[in-house]
Amino acid sequence: MPTEKAKKIGVMALAGVEPYQEKPGEEYMNEDQLNHFKTILEAWRNQLREEVDRTVHHMQDEAANFPDPVDRAAQEEEFALELRTRDRERKLIKKIEKTLVLIEEDDFGFCDTCGIEIGIRRLEARPTADQCIDCKTLSEIKERQMAG
């Protein structure tokens, strides 16, 4: 259940975990913060894995050899969309696991490009972020220019 403060400012809990409340003078990426993000990432990974299991069961249960080509095509299209979604989730699970390794190695929360703090609020929004907002913005601008 969201806290009153979270309700007031419209903060949503990711993977059912309430946003971290920073304490004044608290050291960045202390043990409490690392444990908080580890909890979020593990819960998120578990949710994604449950979706994969549901998809497998759904596809097994719903698989039918329809005599009508239109029905067969509709089912194949539905399965293709589900599989595409699960493939994206599989890639996200790998990124989550990579981030969990960074937490274990005590190297989480710092920008891969410039080395500064990514920031608690950014990590709350995107726990797998590996760049600070400035480096990410610059990277996206360069990417758009290259695509041009």
Side-chain angles (χ1 to χ4, degrees), residues 64-127:
N65 192 5
F66 293 110
D68 180 31
V70 174
D71 290 340
R72 201 167 41 247
Q75 182 184 47
E76 286 176 14
E77 181 65 20
E78 176 192 340
F79 285 176
L81 286 171
E82 270 192 65
L83 289 173
R84 198 171 317 135
T85 301
R86 294 308 152 246
D87 187 51
R88 279 197 302 273
E89 289 173 349
R90 179 186 56 81
K91 290 174 184 171
L92 181 55
I93 289 171
K94 282 185 178 183
K95 193 167 187 177
I96 289 170
E97 289 173 348
K98 176 184 162 204
T99 305
L100 286 167
V101 168
L102 289 175
I103 290 174
E104 291 304 314
E105 294 173 350
D106 209 18
D107 201 18
F108 173 74
F110 298 91
C111 180
D112 284 351
T113 306
C114 69
I116 68 165
E117 298 174 358
I118 292 175
I120 299 295
R121 297 286 73 91
R122 175 157 167 69
L123 290 170
E124 285 288 349
R126 190 74 176 161

Side-chain angles (χ1 to χ4, degrees), residues 26 31 37 87 103 120 132 135:
E26 182 177 33
E31 194 161 335
F37 287 108
D87 187 51
I103 290 174
I120 299 295
C132 67
C135 290

